[in-house]
PDB file of all heavy atoms in Angstrom:
ATOM      1  N   ARG A 172      -1.116  15.025 -75.055  1.00  0.00           N
ATOM      2  CA  ARG A 172      -1.125  15.765 -76.280  1.00  0.00           C
ATOM      3  C   ARG A 172      -2.244  15.254 -77.085  1.00  0.00           C
ATOM      4  O   ARG A 172      -2.940  14.260 -76.801  1.00  0.00           O
ATOM      5  CB  ARG A 172       0.294  15.589 -76.974  1.00  0.00           C
ATOM      6  CG  ARG A 172       0.449  14.251 -77.746  1.00  0.00           C
ATOM      7  CD  ARG A 172       1.666  14.150 -78.425  1.00  0.00           C
ATOM      8  NE  ARG A 172       1.736  13.077 -79.362  1.00  0.00           N
ATOM      9  CZ  ARG A 172       2.214  11.806 -78.977  1.00  0.00           C
ATOM     10  NH1 ARG A 172       2.514  11.609 -77.805  1.00  0.00           N
ATOM     11  NH2 ARG A 172       2.156  10.900 -79.819  1.00  0.00           N
ATOM     12  N   ALA A 173      -2.478  16.040 -78.217  1.00  0.00           N
ATOM     13  CA  ALA A 173      -3.602  15.587 -79.105  1.00  0.00           C
ATOM     14  C   ALA A 173      -2.906  15.527 -80.585  1.00  0.00           C
ATOM     15  O   ALA A 173      -2.018  16.233 -80.833  1.00  0.00           O
ATOM     16  CB  ALA A 173      -4.677  16.577 -79.095  1.00  0.00           C
ATOM     17  N   GLU A 174      -3.651  14.668 -81.254  1.00  0.00           N
ATOM     18  CA  GLU A 174      -3.158  14.458 -82.592  1.00  0.00           C
ATOM     19  C   GLU A 174      -4.332  14.651 -83.544  1.00  0.00           C
ATOM     20  O   GLU A 174      -5.488  14.172 -83.264  1.00  0.00           O
ATOM     21  CB  GLU A 174      -2.605  13.075 -82.995  1.00  0.00           C
ATOM     22  CG  GLU A 174      -1.224  12.807 -82.246  1.00  0.00           C
ATOM     23  CD  GLU A 174      -0.574  11.422 -82.576  1.00  0.00           C
ATOM     24  OE1 GLU A 174      -1.437  10.608 -83.275  1.00  0.00           O
ATOM     25  OE2 GLU A 174       0.498  11.139 -82.308  1.00  0.00           O
ATOM     26  N   PHE A 175      -4.123  15.502 -84.714  1.00  0.00           N
ATOM     27  CA  PHE A 175      -5.213  15.878 -85.602  1.00  0.00           C
ATOM     28  C   PHE A 175      -4.864  15.137 -86.973  1.00  0.00           C
ATOM     29  O   PHE A 175      -3.788  15.233 -87.495  1.00  0.00           O
ATOM     30  CB  PHE A 175      -5.378  17.254 -85.813  1.00  0.00           C
ATOM     31  CG  PHE A 175      -5.786  18.022 -84.531  1.00  0.00           C
ATOM     32  CD1 PHE A 175      -4.786  18.396 -83.660  1.00  0.00           C
ATOM     33  CD2 PHE A 175      -7.069  18.155 -84.210  1.00  0.00           C
ATOM     34  CE1 PHE A 175      -5.135  19.102 -82.436  1.00  0.00           C
ATOM     35  CE2 PHE A 175      -7.570  18.856 -83.000  1.00  0.00           C
ATOM     36  CZ  PHE A 175      -6.490  19.289 -82.170  1.00  0.00           C
ATOM     37  N   GLU A 176      -5.801  14.206 -87.499  1.00  0.00           N
ATOM     38  CA  GLU A 176      -5.531  13.448 -88.630  1.00  0.00           C
ATOM     39  C   GLU A 176      -6.560  13.535 -89.680  1.00  0.00           C
ATOM     40  O   GLU A 176      -7.729  13.742 -89.326  1.00  0.00           O
ATOM     41  CB  GLU A 176      -5.230  12.009 -88.159  1.00  0.00           C
ATOM     42  CG  GLU A 176      -4.652  11.180 -89.300  1.00  0.00           C
ATOM     43  CD  GLU A 176      -4.204   9.679 -88.824  1.00  0.00           C
ATOM     44  OE1 GLU A 176      -4.636   9.400 -87.609  1.00  0.00           O
ATOM     45  OE2 GLU A 176      -3.794   8.944 -89.538  1.00  0.00           O
ATOM     46  N   ASP A 177      -6.134  13.462 -90.898  1.00  0.00           N
ATOM     47  CA  ASP A 177      -7.111  13.456 -92.028  1.00  0.00           C
ATOM     48  C   ASP A 177      -7.924  14.820 -92.089  1.00  0.00           C
ATOM     49  O   ASP A 177      -9.168  14.854 -92.276  1.00  0.00           O
ATOM     50  CB  ASP A 177      -8.046  12.285 -92.037  1.00  0.00           C
ATOM     51  CG  ASP A 177      -7.345  10.974 -92.376  1.00  0.00           C
ATOM     52  OD1 ASP A 177      -6.342  10.996 -93.002  1.00  0.00           O
ATOM     53  OD2 ASP A 177      -7.872   9.965 -91.844  1.00  0.00           O
ATOM     54  N   LEU A 178      -7.211  15.978 -91.874  1.00  0.00           N
ATOM     55  CA  LEU A 178      -8.050  17.306 -92.083  1.00  0.00           C
ATOM     56  C   LEU A 178      -8.354  17.453 -93.488  1.00  0.00           C
ATOM     57  O   LEU A 178      -7.640  17.547 -94.475  1.00  0.00           O
ATOM     58  CB  LEU A 178      -7.051  18.369 -91.563  1.00  0.00           C
ATOM     59  CG  LEU A 178      -7.585  19.836 -91.787  1.00  0.00           C
ATOM     60  CD1 LEU A 178      -8.831  20.044 -90.997  1.00  0.00           C
ATOM     61  CD2 LEU A 178      -6.552  20.778 -91.343  1.00  0.00           C
ATOM     62  N   THR A 179      -9.793  17.439 -93.647  1.00  0.00           N
ATOM     63  CA  THR A 179     -10.245  17.574 -94.940  1.00  0.00           C
ATOM     64  C   THR A 179     -11.346  18.650 -94.973  1.00  0.00           C
ATOM     65  O   THR A 179     -12.073  18.869 -94.030  1.00  0.00           O
ATOM     66  CB  THR A 179     -11.121  16.332 -95.366  1.00  0.00           C
ATOM     67  OG1 THR A 179     -10.154  15.122 -95.254  1.00  0.00           O
ATOM     68  CG2 THR A 179     -11.611  16.301 -96.678  1.00  0.00           C
ATOM     69  N   THR A 180     -11.249  19.500 -96.082  1.00  0.00           N
ATOM     70  CA  THR A 180     -12.045  20.683 -96.237  1.00  0.00           C
ATOM     71  C   THR A 180     -12.833  20.500 -97.634  1.00  0.00           C
ATOM     72  O   THR A 180     -12.117  20.526 -98.691  1.00  0.00           O
ATOM     73  CB  THR A 180     -11.310  21.978 -96.177  1.00  0.00           C
ATOM     74  OG1 THR A 180     -10.647  22.051 -94.881  1.00  0.00           O
ATOM     75  CG2 THR A 180     -12.275  23.207 -96.224  1.00  0.00           C
ATOM     76  N   VAL A 181     -14.037  20.574 -97.596  1.00  0.00           N
ATOM     77  CA  VAL A 181     -14.874  20.668 -98.821  1.00  0.00           C
ATOM     78  C   VAL A 181     -15.297  22.155 -98.970  1.00  0.00           C
ATOM     79  O   VAL A 181     -15.729  22.750 -98.103  1.00  0.00           O
ATOM     80  CB  VAL A 181     -16.056  19.753 -98.855  1.00  0.00           C
ATOM     81  CG1 VAL A 181     -16.922  19.976-100.171  1.00  0.00           C
ATOM     82  CG2 VAL A 181     -15.565  18.340 -98.519  1.00  0.00           C
ATOM     83  N   TYR A 182     -15.089  22.740-100.127  1.00  0.00           N
ATOM     84  CA  TYR A 182     -15.380  24.105-100.261  1.00  0.00           C
ATOM     85  C   TYR A 182     -15.785  24.654-101.525  1.00  0.00           C
ATOM     86  O   TYR A 182     -15.806  23.905-102.548  1.00  0.00           O
ATOM     87  CB  TYR A 182     -13.999  25.007 -99.899  1.00  0.00           C
ATOM     88  CG  TYR A 182     -12.906  24.622-101.005  1.00  0.00           C
ATOM     89  CD1 TYR A 182     -12.781  25.423-102.129  1.00  0.00           C
ATOM     90  CD2 TYR A 182     -11.993  23.664-100.742  1.00  0.00           C
ATOM     91  CE1 TYR A 182     -11.838  25.080-102.939  1.00  0.00           C
ATOM     92  CE2 TYR A 182     -10.956  23.415-101.674  1.00  0.00           C
ATOM     93  CZ  TYR A 182     -10.824  24.026-102.812  1.00  0.00           C
ATOM     94  OH  TYR A 182      -9.868  23.737-103.727  1.00  0.00           O
ATOM     95  N   ALA A 183     -16.360  25.870-101.597  1.00  0.00           N
ATOM     96  CA  ALA A 183     -16.781  26.610-102.644  1.00  0.00           C
ATOM     97  C   ALA A 183     -15.774  27.735-102.936  1.00  0.00           C
ATOM     98  O   ALA A 183     -15.560  28.489-101.907  1.00  0.00           O
ATOM     99  CB  ALA A 183     -18.129  27.095-102.640  1.00  0.00           C
ATOM    100  N   LYS A 184     -15.180  27.980-104.127  1.00  0.00           N
ATOM    101  CA  LYS A 184     -14.352  29.103-104.453  1.00  0.00           C
ATOM    102  C   LYS A 184     -15.162  29.974-105.258  1.00  0.00           C
ATOM    103  O   LYS A 184     -15.439  29.535-106.442  1.00  0.00           O
ATOM    104  CB  LYS A 184     -13.104  28.602-105.059  1.00  0.00           C
ATOM    105  CG  LYS A 184     -12.176  29.635-105.595  1.00  0.00           C
ATOM    106  CD  LYS A 184     -10.863  28.969-106.176  1.00  0.00           C
ATOM    107  CE  LYS A 184     -10.247  30.070-107.025  1.00  0.00           C
ATOM    108  NZ  LYS A 184     -10.845  30.253-108.335  1.00  0.00           N
ATOM    109  N   VAL A 185     -15.212  31.237-104.917  1.00  0.00           N
ATOM    110  CA  VAL A 185     -16.006  32.206-105.697  1.00  0.00           C
ATOM    111  C   VAL A 185     -15.094  33.333-106.139  1.00  0.00           C
ATOM    112  O   VAL A 185     -14.664  34.165-105.237  1.00  0.00           O
ATOM    113  CB  VAL A 185     -17.249  32.730-104.910  1.00  0.00           C
ATOM    114  CG1 VAL A 185     -18.085  33.645-105.648  1.00  0.00           C
ATOM    115  CG2 VAL A 185     -18.090  31.569-104.333  1.00  0.00           C
ATOM    116  N   ASN A 186     -14.983  33.437-107.402  1.00  0.00           N
ATOM    117  CA  ASN A 186     -14.197  34.562-108.022  1.00  0.00           C
ATOM    118  C   ASN A 186     -14.831  35.839-107.846  1.00  0.00           C
ATOM    119  O   ASN A 186     -16.091  35.999-108.083  1.00  0.00           O
ATOM    120  CB  ASN A 186     -13.873  34.410-109.466  1.00  0.00           C
ATOM    121  CG  ASN A 186     -12.945  33.053-109.613  1.00  0.00           C
ATOM    122  OD1 ASN A 186     -12.300  32.697-108.752  1.00  0.00           O
ATOM    123  ND2 ASN A 186     -13.157  32.409-110.774  1.00  0.00           N
ATOM    124  N   MET A 187     -14.032  37.029-107.449  1.00  0.00           N
ATOM    125  CA  MET A 187     -14.626  38.306-107.389  1.00  0.00           C
ATOM    126  C   MET A 187     -14.272  39.213-108.408  1.00  0.00           C
ATOM    127  O   MET A 187     -13.255  38.860-109.089  1.00  0.00           O
ATOM    128  CB  MET A 187     -14.179  38.805-105.953  1.00  0.00           C
ATOM    129  CG  MET A 187     -14.414  37.976-104.797  1.00  0.00           C
ATOM    130  SD  MET A 187     -13.645  38.474-103.269  1.00  0.00           S
ATOM    131  CE  MET A 187     -14.414  40.237-102.983  1.00  0.00           C
ATOM    132  N   PRO A 188     -15.029  40.087-108.857  1.00  0.00           N
ATOM    133  CA  PRO A 188     -14.728  41.007-109.981  1.00  0.00           C
ATOM    134  C   PRO A 188     -13.572  41.950-109.712  1.00  0.00           C
ATOM    135  O   PRO A 188     -13.753  43.199-109.928  1.00  0.00           O
ATOM    136  CB  PRO A 188     -15.979  41.686-110.294  1.00  0.00           C
ATOM    137  CG  PRO A 188     -16.644  41.832-108.913  1.00  0.00           C
ATOM    138  CD  PRO A 188     -16.297  40.495-108.234  1.00  0.00           C
ATOM    139  N   LEU A 189     -12.502  41.596-109.141  1.00  0.00           N
ATOM    140  CA  LEU A 189     -11.326  42.391-108.764  1.00  0.00           C
ATOM    141  C   LEU A 189      -9.960  41.697-109.134  1.00  0.00           C
ATOM    142  O   LEU A 189      -9.322  41.195-108.150  1.00  0.00           O
ATOM    143  CB  LEU A 189     -11.401  42.728-107.292  1.00  0.00           C
ATOM    144  CG  LEU A 189     -12.516  43.577-106.704  1.00  0.00           C
ATOM    145  CD1 LEU A 189     -12.593  43.613-105.232  1.00  0.00           C
ATOM    146  CD2 LEU A 189     -12.518  45.013-107.287  1.00  0.00           C
ATOM    147  N   GLY A 190      -9.771  41.557-110.451  1.00  0.00           N
ATOM    148  CA  GLY A 190      -8.604  40.853-110.829  1.00  0.00           C
ATOM    149  C   GLY A 190      -8.687  39.361-110.492  1.00  0.00           C
ATOM    150  O   GLY A 190      -9.620  38.583-110.748  1.00  0.00           O
ATOM    151  N   GLY A 191      -7.591  38.918-109.738  1.00  0.00           N
ATOM    152  CA  GLY A 191      -7.603  37.469-109.329  1.00  0.00           C
ATOM    153  C   GLY A 191      -8.112  37.125-107.911  1.00  0.00           C
ATOM    154  O   GLY A 191      -7.931  36.112-107.544  1.00  0.00           O
ATOM    155  N   LEU A 192      -8.773  38.169-107.367  1.00  0.00           N
ATOM    156  CA  LEU A 192      -9.321  37.867-105.961  1.00  0.00           C
ATOM    157  C   LEU A 192     -10.373  36.919-106.000  1.00  0.00           C
ATOM    158  O   LEU A 192     -11.140  36.744-106.753  1.00  0.00           O
ATOM    159  CB  LEU A 192      -9.656  39.167-105.401  1.00  0.00           C
ATOM    160  CG  LEU A 192      -8.677  40.198-104.948  1.00  0.00           C
ATOM    161  CD1 LEU A 192      -9.310  41.462-104.438  1.00  0.00           C
ATOM    162  CD2 LEU A 192      -7.641  39.565-103.920  1.00  0.00           C
ATOM    163  N   TYR A 193     -10.387  36.017-104.889  1.00  0.00           N
ATOM    164  CA  TYR A 193     -11.556  35.011-104.690  1.00  0.00           C
ATOM    165  C   TYR A 193     -11.793  34.952-103.172  1.00  0.00           C
ATOM    166  O   TYR A 193     -11.019  35.260-102.277  1.00  0.00           O
ATOM    167  CB  TYR A 193     -11.244  33.716-105.317  1.00  0.00           C
ATOM    168  CG  TYR A 193     -10.029  33.084-104.809  1.00  0.00           C
ATOM    169  CD1 TYR A 193     -10.107  32.175-103.632  1.00  0.00           C
ATOM    170  CD2 TYR A 193      -8.813  33.098-105.290  1.00  0.00           C
ATOM    171  CE1 TYR A 193      -9.150  31.375-103.147  1.00  0.00           C
ATOM    172  CE2 TYR A 193      -7.782  32.440-104.776  1.00  0.00           C
ATOM    173  CZ  TYR A 193      -7.888  31.480-103.666  1.00  0.00           C
ATOM    174  OH  TYR A 193      -6.815  30.904-103.297  1.00  0.00           O
ATOM    175  N   MET A 194     -13.094  34.426-102.969  1.00  0.00           N
ATOM    176  CA  MET A 194     -13.608  34.121-101.687  1.00  0.00           C
ATOM    177  C   MET A 194     -13.777  32.579-101.549  1.00  0.00           C
ATOM    178  O   MET A 194     -14.069  32.033-102.480  1.00  0.00           O
ATOM    179  CB  MET A 194     -14.903  35.004-101.455  1.00  0.00           C
ATOM    180  CG  MET A 194     -15.459  34.587-100.065  1.00  0.00           C
ATOM    181  SD  MET A 194     -17.003  35.698 -99.737  1.00  0.00           S
ATOM    182  CE  MET A 194     -17.957  35.189-101.187  1.00  0.00           C
ATOM    183  N   LYS A 195     -13.494  32.104-100.419  1.00  0.00           N
ATOM    184  CA  LYS A 195     -13.700  30.724-100.116  1.00  0.00           C
ATOM    185  C   LYS A 195     -14.430  30.411 -99.010  1.00  0.00           C
ATOM    186  O   LYS A 195     -14.380  31.028 -97.944  1.00  0.00           O
ATOM    187  CB  LYS A 195     -12.286  30.049 -99.955  1.00  0.00           C
ATOM    188  CG  LYS A 195     -12.341  28.537 -99.519  1.00  0.00           C
ATOM    189  CD  LYS A 195     -10.960  27.956 -99.371  1.00  0.00           C
ATOM    190  CE  LYS A 195     -10.313  27.541-100.678  1.00  0.00           C
ATOM    191  NZ  LYS A 195      -8.974  26.908-100.516  1.00  0.00           N
ATOM    192  N   LEU A 196     -15.548  29.537 -99.089  1.00  0.00           N
ATOM    193  CA  LEU A 196     -16.359  29.230 -98.077  1.00  0.00           C
ATOM    194  C   LEU A 196     -16.551  27.597 -98.049  1.00  0.00           C
ATOM    195  O   LEU A 196     -16.572  27.039 -99.187  1.00  0.00           O
ATOM    196  CB  LEU A 196     -17.733  29.639 -98.152  1.00  0.00           C
ATOM    197  CG  LEU A 196     -17.915  31.173 -98.404  1.00  0.00           C
ATOM    198  CD1 LEU A 196     -19.351  31.515 -98.876  1.00  0.00           C
ATOM    199  CD2 LEU A 196     -17.770  31.877 -97.162  1.00  0.00           C
ATOM    200  N   GLY A 197     -16.286  27.048 -96.804  1.00  0.00           N
ATOM    201  CA  GLY A 197     -16.086  25.635 -96.720  1.00  0.00           C
ATOM    202  C   GLY A 197     -16.520  24.964 -95.482  1.00  0.00           C
ATOM    203  O   GLY A 197     -17.028  25.708 -94.514  1.00  0.00           O
ATOM    204  N   TYR A 198     -16.346  23.666 -95.445  1.00  0.00           N
ATOM    205  CA  TYR A 198     -16.663  22.913 -94.199  1.00  0.00           C
ATOM    206  C   TYR A 198     -15.484  21.925 -94.014  1.00  0.00           C
ATOM    207  O   TYR A 198     -15.159  21.063 -94.863  1.00  0.00           O
ATOM    208  CB  TYR A 198     -17.996  22.206 -94.505  1.00  0.00           C
ATOM    209  CG  TYR A 198     -18.441  21.146 -93.354  1.00  0.00           C
ATOM    210  CD1 TYR A 198     -19.121  21.663 -92.237  1.00  0.00           C
ATOM    211  CD2 TYR A 198     -18.103  19.798 -93.402  1.00  0.00           C
ATOM    212  CE1 TYR A 198     -19.524  20.916 -91.193  1.00  0.00           C
ATOM    213  CE2 TYR A 198     -18.534  19.087 -92.246  1.00  0.00           C
ATOM    214  CZ  TYR A 198     -19.250  19.523 -91.284  1.00  0.00           C
ATOM    215  OH  TYR A 198     -19.682  18.781 -90.267  1.00  0.00           O
ATOM    216  N   SER A 199     -14.857  22.005 -92.767  1.00  0.00           N
ATOM    217  CA  SER A 199     -13.756  21.227 -92.471  1.00  0.00           C
ATOM    218  C   SER A 199     -14.078  20.091 -91.447  1.00  0.00           C
ATOM    219  O   SER A 199     -14.938  20.293 -90.560  1.00  0.00           O
ATOM    220  CB  SER A 199     -12.646  22.115 -91.898  1.00  0.00           C
ATOM    221  OG  SER A 199     -12.185  23.105 -92.898  1.00  0.00           O
ATOM    222  N   GLN A 200     -13.384  18.969 -91.555  1.00  0.00           N
ATOM    223  CA  GLN A 200     -13.552  17.921 -90.613  1.00  0.00           C
ATOM    224  C   GLN A 200     -12.112  17.270 -90.347  1.00  0.00           C
ATOM    225  O   GLN A 200     -11.297  17.085 -91.264  1.00  0.00           O
ATOM    226  CB  GLN A 200     -14.488  16.832 -91.133  1.00  0.00           C
ATOM    227  CG  GLN A 200     -14.818  15.710 -90.088  1.00  0.00           C
ATOM    228  CD  GLN A 200     -15.874  14.719 -90.530  1.00  0.00           C
ATOM    229  OE1 GLN A 200     -15.943  14.401 -91.759  1.00  0.00           O
ATOM    230  NE2 GLN A 200     -16.838  14.425 -89.713  1.00  0.00           N
ATOM    231  N   VAL A 201     -11.918  16.951 -89.113  1.00  0.00           N
ATOM    232  CA  VAL A 201     -10.637  16.265 -88.718  1.00  0.00           C
ATOM    233  C   VAL A 201     -10.875  15.229 -87.515  1.00  0.00           C
ATOM    234  O   VAL A 201     -11.784  15.490 -86.786  1.00  0.00           O
ATOM    235  CB  VAL A 201      -9.659  17.424 -88.154  1.00  0.00           C
ATOM    236  CG1 VAL A 201     -10.102  18.059 -87.157  1.00  0.00           C
ATOM    237  CG2 VAL A 201      -8.240  16.814 -88.079  1.00  0.00           C
ATOM    238  N   ASP A 202     -10.127  14.186 -87.576  1.00  0.00           N
ATOM    239  CA  ASP A 202     -10.145  13.159 -86.476  1.00  0.00           C
ATOM    240  C   ASP A 202      -9.266  13.577 -85.409  1.00  0.00           C
ATOM    241  O   ASP A 202      -8.067  14.099 -85.710  1.00  0.00           O
ATOM    242  CB  ASP A 202      -9.677  11.839 -87.109  1.00  0.00           C
ATOM    243  CG  ASP A 202     -10.693  11.230 -88.055  1.00  0.00           C
ATOM    244  OD1 ASP A 202     -11.945  11.658 -87.984  1.00  0.00           O
ATOM    245  OD2 ASP A 202     -10.337  10.425 -89.007  1.00  0.00           O
ATOM    246  N   VAL A 203      -9.651  13.525 -84.240  1.00  0.00           N
ATOM    247  CA  VAL A 203      -8.811  13.849 -83.005  1.00  0.00           C
ATOM    248  C   VAL A 203      -8.551  12.663 -82.116  1.00  0.00           C
ATOM    249  O   VAL A 203      -9.431  11.924 -81.841  1.00  0.00           O
ATOM    250  CB  VAL A 203      -9.668  14.936 -82.221  1.00  0.00           C
ATOM    251  CG1 VAL A 203      -8.754  15.443 -81.056  1.00  0.00           C
ATOM    252  CG2 VAL A 203     -10.005  16.065 -83.102  1.00  0.00           C
ATOM    253  N   THR A 204      -7.299  12.489 -81.726  1.00  0.00           N
ATOM    254  CA  THR A 204      -6.982  11.462 -80.700  1.00  0.00           C
ATOM    255  C   THR A 204      -6.259  12.194 -79.479  1.00  0.00           C
ATOM    256  O   THR A 204      -5.255  12.903 -79.762  1.00  0.00           O
ATOM    257  CB  THR A 204      -5.956  10.393 -81.371  1.00  0.00           C
ATOM    258  OG1 THR A 204      -6.660   9.913 -82.516  1.00  0.00           O
ATOM    259  CG2 THR A 204      -5.506   9.416 -80.360  1.00  0.00           C
TER     260      THR A 204
END
């Protein structure tokens, strides 16, 4: 089996001109054992 630990995402949240809608773009990293 595998274990994933410390899943961390650094991201930018960009609000769209449609009410409360937003877009998210990011970079994720996780340790695997």
Side-chain angles (χ1 to χ4, degrees):
R172 78 175 191 274
E174 292 183 350
F175 300 89
E176 190 172 6
D177 291 337
L178 174 57
T179 305
T180 303
V181 178
Y182 62 86
K184 172 178 165 286
V185 182
N186 296 330
M187 302 170 66
L189 295 170
L192 288 177
Y193 63 86
M194 177 174 59
K195 179 180 281 189
L196 301 172
Y198 179 82
S199 297
Q200 186 174 40
V201 64
D202 296 329
V203 184
T204 303

